[in-house]
Amino acid sequence: MTKTNKSTPAAAERILTEEEILAMDDKDYMNPAQMAFFKAKLQALEKELLKNAGETTEHLRETVLVPDPADRATIEEEHALELRTRDRERKLLKKVQQSIAAIDEGDYGWCEETGEPIGIPRLIARPTATLSLEAQQRRELKQKLYGD
């Protein structure tokens, strides 16, 4: 299988289900229907992440004056945890937006290192994946052995 499909996916009439995507033949890899499926999945994830960020902003604006130092410390710790979570989501949002851009450019679904297909099951599990499973395992092993 080679990387030949570089066309921008046309708007599909109906977004396929995971089962339908998984049932497709390997020769149909990253066809317009699959691109539309992943774009819809990524856009839904992007919308959810942006909604969470907005909720956090509103939550942090609600200032509660608590006289007890222990209660204040608990509230501050909860805010710190929420901010750490949002920071992780901010990084994920950037990857989601990069993946959507890759779909628009026709590069989505192909390993950055090898140019081989990443694979539908891996993309369903992790739609922001940019490496095939083998390339990711090599990278993790290298990081484990030599550090970052």
Side-chain angles (χ1 to χ4, degrees):
M1 188 172 351
T2 59
K3 183 176 174 180
T4 56
N5 187 357
K6 281 269 199 181
S7 64
T8 304
E13 295 172 10
R14 174 181 77 82
I15 303 296
L16 300 177
T17 65
E18 281 186 20
E19 292 78 24
E20 291 171 318
I21 296 290
L22 287 167
M24 289 183 156
D25 193 2
D26 286 346
K27 67 179 172 51
D28 293 327
Y29 188 71
M30 288 299 117
N31 65 21
Q34 290 177 345
M35 293 285 227
F37 169 82
F38 286 110
K39 187 167 187 174
K41 186 175 182 111
L42 287 160
Q43 287 173 330
L45 181 55
E46 179 183 38
K47 185 177 178 182
E48 180 184 340
L49 292 171
L50 290 171
K51 181 179 119 279
N52 289 348
E55 288 174 359
T56 296
T57 303
E58 288 303 313
H59 180 78
L60 293 176
R61 282 189 185 145
E62 298 170 4
T63 307
V64 180
L65 297 174
V66 182
D68 182 37
D71 288 342
R72 249 194 334 264
T74 300
I75 291 170
E76 288 175 11
E77 185 59 33
E78 287 172 355
H79 285 175
L81 177 62
E82 193 168 354
L83 287 172
R84 282 194 302 270
T85 301
R86 292 306 156 251
D87 187 50
R88 282 193 301 276
E89 286 184 352
R90 178 187 55 81
K91 292 173 185 172
L92 177 59
L93 179 61
K94 183 178 178 186
K95 288 181 180 180
V96 166
Q97 291 168 338
Q98 289 171 340
S99 295
I100 291 171
I103 287 173
D104 292 340
E105 295 166 9
D107 294 331
Y108 182 78
W110 304 95
C111 180
E112 287 180 346
E113 283 186 8
T114 65
E116 306 245 332
I118 292 173
I120 297 298
R122 176 159 166 75
L123 289 171
I124 287 174
R126 188 175 192 93
T128 59
T130 58
L131 298 172
S132 66
L133 187 57
E134 295 79 18
Q136 182 67 35
Q137 288 171 336
R138 281 193 305 273
R139 180 175 283 183
E140 288 173 4
L141 181 60
K142 188 189 264 185
Q143 285 176 344
K144 185 177 179 182
L145 292 174
Y146 305 110
D148 290 332

